[in-house]
């Protein structure tokens, strides 16, 4: 059952799939599974749609995890996040109100092929990209899905070399996983108030844009909300998160899903870079899953609550 699911260990894709099915079965009144795309290797991309059913047209929150295969802590966070909101809405009037006004769309693993590859291919635990073959003259596999979205595509922080970890693909939205998000979110763009994409590592809260020539029209508000979220994170276990645009606190990049979401008109778009600062990097020990999830939940909840209260 979803109660016996291991939230504080890293789960295989098969375990995550059975957890999704069990979660929907245990909470039929508020949870459903939505299939919205296929990976390059023809696996189904699904999300959990969570919310109180309503006749009224609802607003929405997006969260995806595991766009980069090696960032195992990200899918762990999506599973934890779902557990927490499903527990909270029964006793917490605020969460009940938010789940009545908004639906949460949570994709536990977006890059399913890559994620499975990091589990099954023992020599390639640090694989990042998806698993589509490179262009015809290239022997390497994979496109960096977070360089493949239509947001200043191919301009900065991206490699034209198909063997690179930051290869952006042959063109914007060339990859089926990026197409799935672009279509699903893009076709109901006016419903979405907030777009959260979960990564690791670096303990950062990144806001648009990844290209230093562009500034979000609501930059000040994004900074203020992000900074308050970082304060909420710090209160839990004392972990320090830096807040800012990618060029300011990390490096310039283009083609990210966060930038795409903001360019399309979703007012609040953030990338979470979870623990740590590089000691364990992409191989965060399982004993850090719980504290990482607890603090990040506090930060995500701050953003979501702010966005909700601003709208309602």
């Amino acid at each position: 059952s979803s109660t016996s699911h291991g939230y504080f260990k890293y789960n295989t894709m098969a375990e995550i799939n059975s957890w999704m099915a069990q979660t929907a079965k245990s909470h039929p009144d508020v949870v459903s599974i939505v299939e919205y795309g296929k990976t390059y290797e023809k696996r189904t991309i699904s999300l959990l749609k969570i919310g109180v059913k309503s006749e009224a047209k609802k607003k929405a929150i997006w969260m995806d995890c595991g766009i980069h295969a090696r960032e195992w802590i990200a899918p762990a966070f999506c599973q934890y996040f779902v557990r927490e909101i499903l527990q909270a809405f029964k006793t917490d009037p605020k969460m009940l109100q938010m789940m009545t006004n908004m639906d949460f769309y949570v994709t536990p693993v977006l890059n399913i092929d890559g994620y499975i590859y990091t589990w099954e291919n023992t020599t390639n635990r640090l694989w990042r990209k998806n698993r589509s073959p490179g262009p015809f003259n290239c022997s390497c596999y994979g496109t960096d899905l977070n360089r493949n979205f239509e947001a200043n595509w191919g301009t900065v922080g991206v490699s034209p070399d198909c063997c690179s970890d930051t290869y952006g693909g042959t063109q914007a939205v060339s990859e089926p996983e990026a197409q799935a998000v672009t279509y699903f979110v893009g076709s109901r763009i006016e419903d979405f108030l907030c777009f959260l994409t979960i990564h690791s590592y670096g303990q950062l809260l990144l806001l648009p844009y990844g290209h230093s020539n562009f500034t979000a029209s609501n930059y000040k508000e994004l900074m203020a909300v992000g900074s308050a979220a970082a304060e909420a994170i710090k209160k839990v276990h004392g972990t320090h998160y830096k807040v800012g645009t990618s060029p300011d606190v990390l490096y310039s990049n283009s083609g990210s899903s966060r930038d795409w979401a903001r360019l399309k008109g979703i007012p609040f778009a953030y990338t979470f870079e979870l623990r740590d600062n590089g000691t364990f990097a992409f191989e965060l020990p399982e004993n850090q899953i719980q504290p990482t999830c607890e603090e990040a939940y506090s930060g995500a909840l701050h953003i979501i609550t702010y966005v909700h209260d601003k709208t309602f």
Side-chain angles (χ1 to χ4, degrees), residues 36-101:
Y36 68 100
K38 290 266 193 246
T39 64
Y40 175 76
E41 292 176 346
K42 299 288 177 263
R43 295 183 175 98
T44 301
I45 305 169
S46 324
L47 57 79
L48 292 172
K49 180 186 178 185
I50 304 167
V52 176
K53 291 187 173 66
S54 159
E55 291 305 302
K57 190 155 163 58
K58 294 177 72 176
K59 291 295 184 183
I61 302 288
W62 176 268
M63 180 183 289
D64 67 73
C65 293
I67 196 171
H68 286 147
R70 61 195 178 189
E71 297 169 9
W72 286 10
I73 186 61
F77 176 72
C78 263
Q79 292 161 68
Y80 177 87
F81 178 84
V82 166
R83 181 186 83 161
E84 290 303 297
I85 64 171
L86 286 175
Q87 281 177 356
F89 96 101
K90 295 176 186 133
T91 54
D92 175 4
K94 186 71 195 180
M95 185 57 76
L96 175 60
Q97 185 196 20
M98 293 203 292
M99 278 175 57
T100 304
N101 290 328

Side-chain angles (χ1 to χ4, degrees), residues 189-294:
I189 203 84
E190 67 290 340
D191 298 346
F192 283 97
L193 300 173
C194 182
F195 186 102
L196 303 175
T197 179
I198 314 299
H199 291 245
S200 72
Y201 62 96
Q203 295 168 199
L204 306 167
L205 250 177
L206 304 174
L207 42 125
Y209 289 107
H211 195 304
S212 55
N213 289 2
F214 299 89
T215 304
S217 57
N218 60 338
Y219 169 82
K220 280 185 177 156
E221 190 179 18
L222 285 166
M223 270 304 282
V225 175
S227 300
E231 282 302 309
I233 287 168
K234 196 173 184 182
K235 277 185 186 139
V236 182
H237 295 294
T239 307
H240 178 66
Y241 268 59
K242 268 194 205 155
V243 183
T245 64
S246 202
D248 285 348
V249 299
L250 186 58
Y251 47 65
S252 296
N253 59 24
S254 53
S256 73
S257 65
R258 171 205 63 234
D259 283 4
W260 170 80
R262 185 64 198 85
L263 282 168
K264 288 295 281 185
I266 299 176
F268 293 89
Y270 293 93
T271 304
F272 277 69
E273 295 283 357
L274 303 177
R275 290 191 191 187
D276 57 6
N277 275 325
T279 307
F280 296 104
F282 301 113
E283 297 177 282
L284 196 71
E286 288 188 328
N287 65 9
Q288 287 199 40
I289 296 175
Q290 183 165 356
T292 302
C293 289
E294 287 168 352

